[in-house]
């Protein structure tokens, strides 16, 4: 079995995540002008998903922040309008609700079949057949329907939504409806046959092939990963035997190889790697990343959502404290980690004040000191450049 050091795996993760120089990542660095949508699609294509989130307190939602961190000059407004008729994306359950390259639609047939019984609500469509029939007929006759236009009054939270909205979500989850576009972050539902091309819709992959394709795509974005991380990328819960079998088949085909993550004290962590990425990891070991220029990362960045992996590769405790009372938060409401070189050196809690034209730093904590004072000037410079780059993209001025 091959093995990587933590440094090799960390740098490989950054290269595959598009967070090193373009010559190491294969990503375009510029994201401005007419080429911005294509650049954004290239980023999404690397991971196979772009996780969506509603929180915009920091001035942009998570999916936009992911693109801003990789594409210099990217227009935040472009990040909100990527899903539209004709775009090579569809919205579906990936890791969470995500925008996913259209070419992966056939691989999710197993999930659409599973979601005939919704994981939260059970057989919701079966309990409300008239609502489902009427909703589908309304869309068939009158055209696409915004989620905000569904009849009835919603409650205060996701669990209190009216029946029509829940049924629409269930029909989308099982494949009867598709999300045609988003406007002002509101879904517009349409019949799947009017959104997904026939060549993809009518040629679903068998579950075994679908799993292979998704696991290989996950590994493409991670570089090195444990089987648990690969499964979690697509929320493949309860499918460990199938995941293990799919990885074994991919290994037999020479598309992946077992690779352990070495540890100076504990036992190595088993994992997987693509053969080309193993060679890349060895070359990256000689790299000297620059630490004086930083970049802000979304807490839902593909590099960060797996807390155990982040702790293992970066020694960084990635937490999200939105749901904690203010007095119990250690870091802040919506903290964005700061990447400098190949280290996560700080985290900042930001609040955009559009009317004032400012981006307020509500809290700042450097990892080396546990305070707002950096241990080294280079870390302070990294935070400064990260904040300035992000604020400039939003058209705001940083205030503390």
């Amino acid at each position: 079995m091959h093995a990587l050091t933590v440094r090799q795996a960390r740098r490989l993760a950054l290269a595959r995540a598009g967070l090193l120089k373009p010559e190491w990542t294969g990503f375009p660095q510029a994201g401005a002008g007419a080429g911005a949508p294509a650049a954004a699609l290239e980023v999404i294509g690397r991971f196979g998903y772009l996780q969506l989130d509603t929180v915009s307190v920091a001035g942009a939602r998570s999916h936009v922040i992911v693109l801003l961190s990789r594409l210099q000059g990217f227009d935040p407004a472009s990040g909100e309008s990527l899903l539209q008729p004709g775009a090579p994306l569809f919205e579906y359950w990936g890791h969470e609700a995500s925008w996913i390259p259209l070419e992966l639609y056939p691989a999710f047939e197993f999930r659409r079949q599973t979601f005939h019984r919704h994981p939260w609500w059970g057989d919701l469509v079966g309990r409300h057949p008239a609502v489902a029939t009427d909703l589908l007929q309304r869309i068939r006759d009158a055209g696409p329907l915004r989620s905000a236009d569904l009849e009835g009054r919603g409650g205060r939270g996701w669990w209190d939504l009216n029946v029509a909205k829940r049924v629409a979500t269930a029909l989308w989850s099982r494949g009867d409806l598709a999300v045609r576009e988003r406007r002002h972050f509101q879904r517009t539902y349409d019949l799947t046959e009017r959104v997904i091309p026939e060549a993809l819709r009518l040629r679903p992959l068998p579950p075994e092939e679908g799993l292979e394709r998704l696991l290989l795509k996950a590994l493409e974005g991670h570089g090195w990963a444990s089987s648990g991380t690969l499964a979690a990328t697509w929320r493949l819960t309860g499918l460990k035997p199938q995941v293990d079998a799919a990885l074994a088949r991919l290994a037999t085909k020479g598309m992946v190889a077992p690779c352990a993550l070495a540890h100076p004290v504990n036992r190595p962590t088993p994992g997987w790697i693509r053969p080309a990425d193993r060679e890349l990891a060895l070359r990256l070991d000689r790299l000297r990343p620059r630490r004086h220029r930083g970049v802000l990362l979304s807490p839902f960045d593909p590099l960060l959502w797996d807390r155990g992996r982040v702790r293992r590769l970066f020694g960084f405790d990635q937490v999200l404290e939105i749901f904690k009372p203010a007095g119990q938060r250690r870091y802040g409401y919506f903290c964005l980690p700061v990447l400098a070189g190949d280290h996560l050196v700080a985290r900042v809690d930001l609040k955009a004040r559009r009317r004032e034209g400012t981006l307020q730093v509500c809290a700042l904590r450097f990892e080396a000191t546990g305070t707002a004072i950096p241990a080294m000037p280079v870390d302070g410079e990294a935070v400064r450049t990260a904040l300035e780059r992000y604020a400039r993209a939003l058209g705001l001025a940083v205030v503390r």
Side-chain angles (χ1 to χ4, degrees), residues 4 8 98 101 132-133 224 226 245 275 319 339:
L4 295 181
Q8 289 169 339
S98 304
T133 300
W224 173 92
S226 67
V319 297
L339 175 69

Side-chain angles (χ1 to χ4, degrees), residues 176-194:
D176 297 279
L177 292 178
V179 178
R180 183 177 183 84
E181 61 182 333
R182 277 189 182 256
R183 292 186 181 180
H184 308 295
F185 209 60
Q186 287 286 331
R187 285 175 177 159
T188 297
Y189 291 110
D190 201 351
L191 300 179
T192 301
E193 64 223 46
R194 298 200 297 227

Side-chain angles (χ1 to χ4, degrees), residues 27-59:
F27 275 175
Q29 185 154 4
L41 291 171
E42 194 168 341
V43 173
I44 299 172
R46 171 67 60 84
F47 304 113
Y49 64 93
L50 182 62
Q51 181 179 334
L52 305 175
D53 190 73
T54 61
V55 178
S56 59
V57 66

Side-chain angles (χ1 to χ4, degrees), residues 39-320:
L41 291 171
E42 194 168 341
V43 173
I44 299 172
R46 171 67 60 84
F47 304 113
Y49 64 93
L50 182 62
Q51 181 179 334
L52 305 175
D53 190 73
T54 61
V55 178
S56 59
V57 66
R61 295 184 176 92
S62 174
H63 46 285
V64 175
I65 298 173
V66 169
L67 298 173
L68 290 175
S69 65
R70 289 153 172 86
L71 302 172
Q72 290 275 10
F74 186 74
D75 179 5
S78 297
E80 295 287 3
S81 59
L82 292 173
L83 184 67
Q84 54 184 288
L89 296 173
F90 72 106
E91 184 169 326
Y92 197 56
W93 299 112
H95 169 63
E96 299 286 355
S98 304
W99 288 340
I100 300 172
L102 197 54
E103 63 193 37
L104 289 179
Y105 186 85
F108 283 94
E109 177 65 14
F110 77 96
R111 176 151 294 159
R112 291 188 288 273
Q113 293 299 322
T114 300
F115 275 27
H116 272 69
R117 184 175 181 84
H118 200 277
W120 304 332
W121 303 316
D123 187 15
L124 184 69
V125 174
R127 294 198 305 273
H128 301 281
V131 176
T133 300
D134 290 348
L135 186 59
L136 290 169
Q137 191 63 49
R138 176 179 174 181
I139 293 174
R140 181 173 290 109
D141 294 342
L145 183 67
R146 294 189 311 160
S147 58
D149 292 336
L150 291 169
E151 293 141 342
R153 298 178 60 187
R156 292 172 296 175
W158 182 256
W159 51 90
D160 290 325
L161 289 176
N162 62 72
V163 171
K165 286 189 177 180
R166 292 201 304 270
V167 169
T169 301
L171 290 171
W172 165 65
S173 298
R174 60 187 255 173
D176 297 279
L177 292 178
V179 178
R180 183 177 183 84
E181 61 182 333
R182 277 189 182 256
R183 292 186 181 180
H184 308 295
F185 209 60
Q186 287 286 331
R187 285 175 177 159
T188 297
Y189 291 110
D190 201 351
L191 300 179
T192 301
E193 64 223 46
R194 298 200 297 227
V195 177
I196 306 299
E198 181 177 324
L200 298 174
R201 182 166 43 83
L202 299 183
R203 292 182 175 86
L205 290 179
E208 295 80 8
E209 292 183 32
L211 285 181
E212 286 184 28
R213 188 165 184 187
L214 292 177
L215 291 169
L216 191 60
K217 174 56 68 173
L219 196 56
E220 181 184 343
H222 290 303
W224 173 92
S226 67
S227 58
T229 293
L230 296 176
T233 303
W234 306 111
R235 294 284 174 153
L236 303 176
T237 55
L239 296 176
K240 187 178 187 305
Q242 294 92 324
V243 168
D244 290 345
L247 288 169
R249 291 193 300 271
L250 289 170
T252 300
K253 297 174 185 178
M255 303 178 78
V256 306
C259 181
L261 181 67
H263 193 281
V265 178
N266 300 326
R267 296 175 61 184
T269 302
W272 298 88
I273 197 169
R274 300 186 309 165
D277 286 339
R278 180 174 179 270
E279 299 304 316
L280 176 60
L282 297 178
R283 296 199 305 273
L284 288 168
D285 199 30
R286 299 187 292 272
L287 185 67
R288 292 186 178 183
R290 298 182 301 173
R291 285 193 61 170
H292 68 284
R293 299 188 66 82
V295 63
L296 295 180
L297 301 181
S298 161
F300 302 118
D301 193 280
L303 187 73
L304 297 179
W305 56 256
D306 188 331
R307 292 181 58 183
R309 174 180 168 86
V310 175
R311 192 177 299 114
R312 187 177 292 128
L313 296 187
F314 292 90
F316 186 89
D317 185 23
Q318 170 58 18
V319 297
L320 186 66

